[in-house]
Amino acid sequence: MNREWLEKDFYKELGVSSGASQDEIKKAYRKLARDLHPDKNPGDVKAEERFKAVSEAHAVLSDPEKRTEYDEARRLFASGGFPRGGGFSPGGGYTQGGFNDFNLGDIFGASNAGEGGLGDILGGLFNRGGGGARASSRPRRGSDVETETTLGFREAAQGVTVPLRMTSPSPCTTCHGSGAKPGTSPRVCPHCNGTGVISRNQGAFGFSEPCEDCRGTGSIIDDPCVDCHGTGIQNRTRTITVRIPPGVGDGQRIRLAGQGEAGLRGAPAGDLFVTVHVSQDKVFGRTGDDLTLVLPVSYSELVLGTTVSVPTLEGRVGVKVPAGTADGRTLRVRGRGVPKRSGGAGDLLVTVKVAVPQKLDDNATEALRSYAEAEKLGGFDPRAGWAGA
Ligand SMILES: [Zn+2]
Ligand SMILES: [Zn+2]
């Protein structure tokens, strides 16, 4: 976004030279804003885009301080002073003035602009005087929405598509978000000519404040839509289907771009953030991309060696327990763990654990006794070298 902004030519957007006076900029903007205003060009996406671009250009160039910053940044950028593609690095020297916070959403009054950010410019424009009445129908990026979901262990490991029910503001279906009663449409505010802004000259500087007639919206709704009371927004419960990628961990937060709250008047929607909770599994545990499980074995299986069938996320595999395997040892089965985002999968870690019989029948007891004898005669001492023995 930053880079995009730097690559934009705000002077060209307004059709003025880079040496244009504040007055020339103001005039050029007014004319363009009038011609391109969404209310004058309903449904014209191109005009809407241009309108936004022109508003953005004006927001920067009409503020002498921001204009100076923009000019400087552009000069630096053109001379290679900024890494291309990387945006600004925090603390890299050019973060003051809120350049990092810049995006269109901020311009149109999203609340997340940092102090001194460009959001403040327009926030100031539309809200100066401290009235607190925010322009409710100005194009504004939708808010981000937070939600959470609980997945089964295997679902999280393998990826799953889940329906999420959410209640959030959406464009009113009755008026399609215009806020005007169906059959009518908002008209361009005659006081500000649809710009939403009234400019005043005071001393050396001209400054702007929101139009009082339309409260900065640029348009006047004579017959408000009854279903949304003229806001163009309705609370709607919707179910969206979300694809959770394989390998998400408990507590992880997933961002789904554009799935948040609807934007106002054609502005982009916010993002949806889903915090994922993963329930425990009876068999498997997880360490990063590795799947863990405890395999119960008998003493004789460890001594003699065996091959045991163990479950994986997909089907079962035979795990070879070599003769003489120590209790508690972990055997690795490559590539049978949790799928990785980069492709491939982690490993399955199988830890053997001896199950000791609580009761033996006479035959087994007899056999074990003679085995113990034989073991001793064979010279095996489990505590050889242990504790100073
Ligand atoms: Zn409505
Ligand atoms: Zn007005």
Side-chain angles (χ1 to χ4, degrees):
M1 205 67 194
N2 301 320
R3 196 161 62 89
E4 201 181 303
W5 179 49
L6 279 174
E7 282 170 354
K8 281 177 184 168
D9 191 338
F10 289 153
Y11 294 103
K12 206 170 140 197
E13 287 293 1
L14 294 178
V16 296
S17 74
S18 57
S21 69
Q22 286 297 307
D23 216 31
E24 284 174 295
I25 285 168
K26 200 193 302 168
K27 271 190 190 142
Y29 167 65
R30 274 204 201 146
K31 162 103 182 56
L32 285 166
R34 204 156 46 228
D35 294 342
L36 297 167
H37 198 277
D39 290 337
K40 263 196 173 176
N41 306 273
D44 186 342
V45 180
K46 266 193 171 165
E48 201 181 300
E49 285 306 308
R50 279 278 292 137
F51 180 72
K52 284 179 191 167
V54 162
S55 306
E56 187 187 358
H58 176 251
V60 175
L61 297 186
S62 64
D63 182 315
E65 215 177 291
K66 296 294 164 194
R67 184 179 174 183
T68 309
E69 283 180 23
Y70 170 70
D71 288 345
E72 269 174 32
R74 288 258 303 170
R75 208 169 47 241
L76 272 167
F77 184 71
S79 65
F82 289 116
R84 288 202 172 244
F88 296 102
S89 56
Y94 218 86
T95 56
Q96 80 270 48
F99 277 22
N100 274 337
D101 295 333
F102 188 87
N103 65 43
L104 248 191
D106 293 342
I107 271 214
F108 286 110
S111 55
N112 59 351
E115 200 187 326
L118 281 162
D120 290 352
I121 304 175
L122 273 197
L125 272 184
F126 295 134
N127 246 346
R128 196 165 290 173
R134 156 162 304 177
S136 61
S137 53
R138 200 85 204 157
R140 174 161 62 91
R141 181 182 174 272
S143 306
D144 294 338
V145 176
E146 293 275 352
T147 186
E148 34 190 13
T149 187
T150 299
L151 303 181
F153 183 90
R154 289 167 208 234
E155 289 177 330
Q158 292 181 293
V160 65
T161 301
V162 290
L164 288 178
R165 253 172 78 85
M166 290 187 312
T167 302
S168 64
S170 306
C172 172
T173 48
T174 309
C175 62
H176 303 287
S178 77
K181 197 168 165 181
T184 72
S185 53
R187 64 187 162 91
V188 175
C189 172
H191 189 49
C192 61
N193 288 320
T195 61
V197 176
I198 297 295
S199 299
R200 289 207 182 138
N201 286 313
Q202 208 172 65
F205 293 101
F207 72 93
S208 309
E209 48 180 32
C211 171
E212 278 177 16
D213 286 20
C214 61
R215 290 203 295 158
T217 64
S219 59
I220 289 178
I221 297 169
D222 295 313
D223 284 311
C225 166
V226 288
D227 289 331
C228 63
H229 309 288
T231 60
I233 293 287
Q234 266 179 338
N235 266 331
R236 262 216 320 254
T237 300
R238 58 195 172 121
T239 302
I240 61 164
T241 306
V242 170
R243 169 90 197 136
I244 308 283
V248 293
D250 188 38
Q252 208 170 314
R253 198 155 157 269
I254 295 170
R255 174 175 173 265
L256 297 143
Q259 299 273 26
E261 249 184 44
L264 277 173
R265 295 213 165 180
D271 298 334
L272 171 64
F273 291 92
V274 184
T275 301
V276 176
H277 303 288
V278 180
S279 51
Q280 304 246 321
D281 191 79
K282 274 190 218 146
V283 176
F284 297 117
R286 231 178 109 171
T287 314
D289 294 324
D290 291 335
L291 208 54
T292 61
L293 73 77
V294 173
L295 173 65
V297 289
S298 68
Y299 165 76
S300 54
E301 283 175 326
L302 289 185
V303 177
L304 302 173
T306 184
T307 298
V308 186
S309 163
V310 302
T312 71
L313 291 175
E314 281 172 46
R316 301 178 76 91
V317 285
V319 173
K320 187 167 184 272
V321 180
T325 296
D327 184 35
R329 187 174 150 196
T330 297
L331 306 162
R332 185 178 289 266
V333 185
R334 300 224 176 259
R336 300 307 294 258
V338 179
K340 290 182 189 173
R341 211 152 301 170
S342 53
D347 300 334
L348 173 66
L349 303 179
V350 179
T351 302
V352 294
K353 186 167 188 279
V354 167
V356 174
Q358 297 303 297
K359 234 180 144 186
L360 286 181
D361 68 11
D362 291 349
N363 270 343
T365 308
E366 188 62 31
L368 195 58
R369 284 226 169 90
S370 53
Y371 165 76
E373 256 337 281
E375 188 185 66
K376 206 176 278 173
L377 286 171
F380 177 70
D381 176 3
R383 288 170 289 278
W386 174 79

